Amino acid sequence: MATFQVSSIFCLMGSPDQMRFPKGGAIKATTNNAPKFQVSPISLPKLPSRSLVDNLDITSNGFKIPSNNSANHSDDPMVTSKLYAIMEAIADRVEMHKNIGAQRDNWNHLLLMSINAITLAAATMAGIAATTCAVTTGARAPFMALKLSSTILYVAATGMLVVMNKIQPSQLAEEQRHAARLFKQLHAQIQTTLSLHSENTMVDVNEAMEKVLALDKAYPLPLLGEMLDKFPKTVEPTIWWPKQNHRRAQGAEGKLIDGNGWSQKLEEEMIEVVGVLKSKDVPEYLNLTEKALKINRVMAISGPILTGLAALGSAFVGSSGTYGVWGVMAGVICGALASVVNTLEHGGQVGMVVEMYRSNAGFFRLMQETIESNVKEKQVERRENGQVFEMKVALQLGRSLSELKHLANFSEKFASKLF
């Protein structure tokens, strides 16, 4: 028989619910020739009161996500929620613009084929009516049927052409394609901001909201009351961004201090790039836009006039004397010319070319304003990092860093162009 004398029992330090046994209590066990042990008191270290979960870094997709109590991460959960809500709205807009762009592209193809088919059918009927009138002078019923059918088809083609030339489906489709691309770009920017785990504030939320609303205004979805003017009196670049420099406060005047990736030489290079964009690229694309717009305007007016003349001519088919002769010629020739003009305008998608040039001019205007807003900020720590910014400008202009450095000196050779 052996007796184990327990002088103290394990206890949790600082625990409110402590389990105690009477001092000197004995626990007996039956063993054979077992030695006698004296167990000395043991005290456990005091556990930290902070939750263990607060000390852990949760990882997701290779990024460390600090806990909410971590001092390295002070994002407001409400700000993050609002940014995610904006991202959801942007994703919905991307899908809407893609679907509506495809629909309006179908409009262009279907209306083009339908109007050409109607116009050519009317021209054929006018020619057959004139032949029927000359051969069978006694039978008036087939002649009148062909003549009236030709006139009705020409009138219908004229009305459809007026509507089609007014809305310019190919230009509408290009607007939606461009809007979908820009919304995708904005979605990626917000996603990058959240992935970097920077300290997002309501300023970021307001900035994202302004960009979404500016894009909605630049590329509206509705046609009635909201559609952009397809034949403006003055040509301007497409503006799809909010006013620049609204987050940047002007610092004190003085010499630029190197820092944040910026130097005096880099600032001078950026000023030279702005000069090239302002003097060459933006005016060049505005000039191309104006030329394409003039061609489109001439074709948009010529098409309905030709079909209208053809309708008037077909109404005089079979008349006696000079009216009958000119009626047949107008009914057939003007109808054929209208088909050619309609094919060149909408088959060649001249409206899409106009919008493409306007968007390119807007792109270079945005580059110009972005560079100016950074250069005008005198406090270099408030600017975007100079080296990153230089790389962005070079990539967006399609140049290497060495070509960007010599862009101003060789502006004629290395003029920035997308197409």
Side-chain angles (χ1 to χ4, degrees), residues 109-315:
H109 295 296
L110 294 174
L111 286 173
L112 172 62
M113 291 187 294
S114 300
I115 292 174
N116 277 351
I118 291 173
T119 304
L120 293 175
T124 304
M125 288 181 179
I128 295 174
T131 305
T132 304
C133 178
V135 174
T136 58
T137 55
R140 303 289 296 176
F143 162 72
M144 290 300 297
L146 291 170
K147 176 181 176 179
L148 289 176
S149 297
S150 177
T151 304
I152 291 171
L153 288 176
Y154 272 134
V155 171
T158 302
M160 294 172 68
L161 263 179
V162 169
V163 175
M164 189 178 184
N165 293 345
K166 175 68 176 176
I167 66 174
Q168 292 290 316
S170 65
Q171 188 169 347
L172 289 174
E174 178 66 13
E175 289 174 5
Q176 306 314 315
R177 285 191 291 264
H178 199 63
R181 184 180 69 83
L182 291 172
F183 272 117
K184 282 183 180 179
Q185 188 181 80
L186 180 57
H187 186 276
Q189 289 174 359
I190 300 176
Q191 196 170 27
T192 302
T193 301
L194 289 170
S195 299
L196 292 176
H197 301 292
S198 58
E199 296 183 2
N200 302 317
T201 63
M202 283 303 299
V203 175
D204 300 289
V205 175
N206 295 333
E207 186 180 65
M209 285 287 293
E210 288 177 6
K211 289 180 178 179
V212 171
L213 296 177
L215 273 170
D216 284 340
K217 184 178 180 181
Y219 300 103
L221 286 171
L223 289 180
L224 298 178
E226 296 291 336
M227 185 181 69
L228 300 177
D229 187 7
K230 298 300 180 286
F231 301 97
K233 295 181 180 179
T234 58
V235 177
E236 295 291 339
T238 306
I239 305 296
W240 62 82
W241 59 91
K243 223 180 239 189
Q244 293 285 323
N245 209 25
H246 64 286
R247 288 185 61 184
R248 304 182 183 277
Q250 293 294 329
E253 296 293 335
K255 185 178 179 180
L256 177 69
I257 302 175
D258 294 348
N260 194 23
W262 285 87
S263 64
Q264 190 70 35
K265 183 179 180 181
L266 177 58
E267 180 173 320
E268 292 173 356
E269 290 171 358
M270 290 295 106
I271 293 174
E272 291 173 351
V273 172
V274 169
V276 174
L277 293 174
K278 187 182 296 186
S279 63
K280 187 170 181 61
D281 292 301
V282 174
E284 181 179 352
Y285 278 102
L286 287 179
N287 186 35
L288 291 172
T289 305
E290 190 172 356
K291 290 179 179 178
L293 184 62
K294 287 180 180 178
I295 295 173
N296 196 32
R297 183 181 286 112
V298 170
M299 290 183 174
I301 295 173
S302 301
I305 289 178
L306 288 171
T307 53
L309 289 175
L312 186 63
S314 64

Side-chain angles (χ1 to χ4, degrees), residues 257-262 379-387:
I257 302 175
D258 294 348
N260 194 23
W262 285 87
Q379 300 178 13
V380 291
E381 66 275 4
R382 298 177 65 93
R383 300 182 183 181
E384 187 174 354
N385 183 272
Q387 295 179 0

Side-chain angles (χ1 to χ4, degrees), residues 6-206:
V6 181
S7 60
S8 64
I9 305 299
F10 293 95
C11 63
L12 294 176
M13 300 296 294
S15 174
D17 301 326
Q18 295 181 351
M19 297 177 59
R20 301 184 181 274
F21 290 93
K23 188 173 182 180
I27 300 175
K28 295 184 178 181
T30 303
T31 59
N32 294 324
N33 301 323
K36 184 179 292 185
F37 292 95
Q38 182 75 22
V39 181
S40 60
I42 300 175
S43 62
L44 296 178
K46 186 174 181 180
L47 297 177
S49 59
R50 186 176 180 181
S51 174
L52 181 62
V53 179
D54 293 341
N55 295 324
L56 295 180
D57 283 343
I58 305 171
T59 60
S60 175
N61 297 327
F63 292 100
K64 287 187 176 180
I65 306 176
S67 61
N68 291 334
N69 296 329
S70 175
N72 296 327
H73 186 62
S74 59
D75 281 355
D76 185 356
M78 183 59 65
V79 171
T80 304
S81 300
K82 288 182 178 180
L83 287 175
Y84 275 111
I86 293 173
M87 286 176 62
E88 292 176 2
I90 291 173
D92 183 60
R93 278 171 168 80
V94 170
E95 197 64 28
M96 284 193 298
H97 281 284
K98 284 175 61 179
N99 294 338
I100 293 179
Q103 177 196 57
R104 291 172 179 177
D105 191 47
N106 287 336
W107 285 1
N108 186 61
H109 295 296
L110 294 174
L111 286 173
L112 172 62
M113 291 187 294
S114 300
I115 292 174
N116 277 351
I118 291 173
T119 304
L120 293 175
T124 304
M125 288 181 179
I128 295 174
T131 305
T132 304
C133 178
V135 174
T136 58
T137 55
R140 303 289 296 176
F143 162 72
M144 290 300 297
L146 291 170
K147 176 181 176 179
L148 289 176
S149 297
S150 177
T151 304
I152 291 171
L153 288 176
Y154 272 134
V155 171
T158 302
M160 294 172 68
L161 263 179
V162 169
V163 175
M164 189 178 184
N165 293 345
K166 175 68 176 176
I167 66 174
Q168 292 290 316
S170 65
Q171 188 169 347
L172 289 174
E174 178 66 13
E175 289 174 5
Q176 306 314 315
R177 285 191 291 264
H178 199 63
R181 184 180 69 83
L182 291 172
F183 272 117
K184 282 183 180 179
Q185 188 181 80
L186 180 57
H187 186 276
Q189 289 174 359
I190 300 176
Q191 196 170 27
T192 302
T193 301
L194 289 170
S195 299
L196 292 176
H197 301 292
S198 58
E199 296 183 2
N200 302 317
T201 63
M202 283 303 299
V203 175
D204 300 289
V205 175
N206 295 333

